[in-house]
Amino acid sequence: MSEQDNHPSTKARSGASKEPVKICNVCGDLRNEPGKKELLNSHKSMENKKPIKRHEALKPLSRDHHHGLLLCWKLRQGFKFQVEPRRMKKYTNWFKTKYLYPHFEAEEEFVFPVLEEEDPMVKKALAEHRRLRRLFDDESEITKSLSLIEEELDAHIRFEERILFNEVQKIASPKEFEEIEKRHHAVPFSDDLWEDHFWEQKKK
């Protein structure tokens, strides 16, 4: 067996198909797990030719971004399949409470302070957080808000991953990274118990 065959990025998962495991350069998640293949093409645009070597302290937040992009994809699928908006709204309400808003709070409390308070990138990120909170909380124009969430959350995540997080990673001190790791504890993502998979096309 060659050295390449033992590399974790090419080794097949035990008990699964022989398809090589594909690791996301942005967040480190498996790329060919069920439900994630469809995200592959949109996620590629977040990757440079050289993989982003994200600091360990920021990896949990980057994984959150991965799941945020997956939410955007699910909404796109919902619109494609003409799903009743209330079904999608129930899912986004659950997602925002359990994952998105805690993620925003962690960034605002632990990550953004690494940069200057008046930094244009911080101002932009905070403004987008406020805007996204309003869209997620909207109960009057659900279809419009869901459509805007799909577009604006996607763009926000890409801005943070491509620009803001890279700048934080450049200037953060070891002590600041240690503080982020110590104080932020990511919640492992799972929607396995969510029964209404509106993003999956029903078999005829």
Side-chain angles (χ1 to χ4, degrees), residues 68-76 79 88-89 91-93 95-96 100-101 104 128 131-139 141-157:
L69 288 178
L70 191 56
L71 170 66
C72 296
W73 172 80
K74 288 173 180 176
L75 291 177
R76 284 194 289 274
F79 284 119
M88 295 190 282
K89 176 64 174 171
Y91 185 81
T92 60
N93 282 347
F95 185 90
K96 75 176 184 183
L100 186 67
Y101 286 4
F104 282 176
E128 290 177 356
R131 164 76 172 169
L132 285 164
R133 284 186 175 104
R134 287 196 298 271
L135 291 174
F136 272 89
D137 292 343
D138 179 56
E139 296 289 344
E141 296 182 282
I142 293 175
T143 302
K144 180 180 178 181
S145 292
L146 290 173
S147 179
L148 290 171
I149 286 169
E150 179 268 311
E151 294 177 1
E152 296 185 24
L153 180 61
D154 186 290
H156 172 72
I157 289 171

Side-chain angles (χ1 to χ4, degrees), residues 5-98:
D5 292 332
N6 282 321
H7 194 279
S9 64
T10 58
K11 190 182 293 183
R13 298 169 70 187
S14 61
S17 67
K18 297 299 181 182
E19 182 182 2
V21 170
K22 298 174 183 176
I23 304 297
C24 171
N25 289 341
V26 174
C27 67
D29 273 8
L30 296 180
R31 294 289 288 277
N32 53 346
E33 282 190 338
K36 291 185 180 176
K37 283 187 177 181
E38 294 86 347
L39 190 61
L40 186 60
N41 290 333
S42 65
H43 214 170
K44 276 182 180 178
S45 63
M46 288 185 66
E47 302 174 9
N48 299 318
K49 291 182 180 179
K50 292 183 179 179
I52 298 171
K53 294 183 179 179
R54 186 64 73 221
H55 191 282
E56 287 297 324
L58 297 175
K59 279 185 178 180
L61 292 162
S62 282
R63 290 192 181 96
D64 290 346
H65 286 164
H66 177 94
H67 298 302
L69 288 178
L70 191 56
L71 170 66
C72 296
W73 172 80
K74 288 173 180 176
L75 291 177
R76 284 194 289 274
Q77 292 296 99
F79 284 119
K80 177 181 176 181
F81 300 145
Q82 298 182 327
V83 171
E84 201 279 315
R86 273 287 170 192
R87 292 172 58 194
M88 295 190 282
K89 176 64 174 171
K90 287 180 181 178
Y91 185 81
T92 60
N93 282 347
W94 169 81
F95 185 90
K96 75 176 184 183
T97 302
K98 191 167 181 64

Side-chain angles (χ1 to χ4, degrees), residues 25-27 46 48 52-66 102-115 119 121-122 124-126 128-129 155-173 177 180 184:
N25 289 341
V26 174
C27 67
M46 288 185 66
N48 299 318
I52 298 171
K53 294 183 179 179
R54 186 64 73 221
H55 191 282
E56 287 297 324
L58 297 175
K59 279 185 178 180
L61 292 162
S62 282
R63 290 192 181 96
D64 290 346
H65 286 164
H66 177 94
H103 170 85
F104 282 176
E105 290 164 8
E107 287 181 328
E108 292 165 8
E109 187 173 354
F110 309 129
V111 179
F112 296 171
V114 172
L115 304 173
D119 188 291
M121 289 182 291
V122 172
K124 173 178 169 64
L126 288 172
E128 290 177 356
H129 281 191
H156 172 72
I157 289 171
R158 295 177 192 280
F159 160 69
E160 288 193 339
E161 278 295 332
R162 291 169 173 168
I163 300 173
L164 191 145
F165 272 31
N166 286 350
E167 188 63 23
V168 167
Q169 192 159 301
K170 284 180 189 176
I171 68 172
S173 67
F177 278 134
I180 293 171
H184 173 58

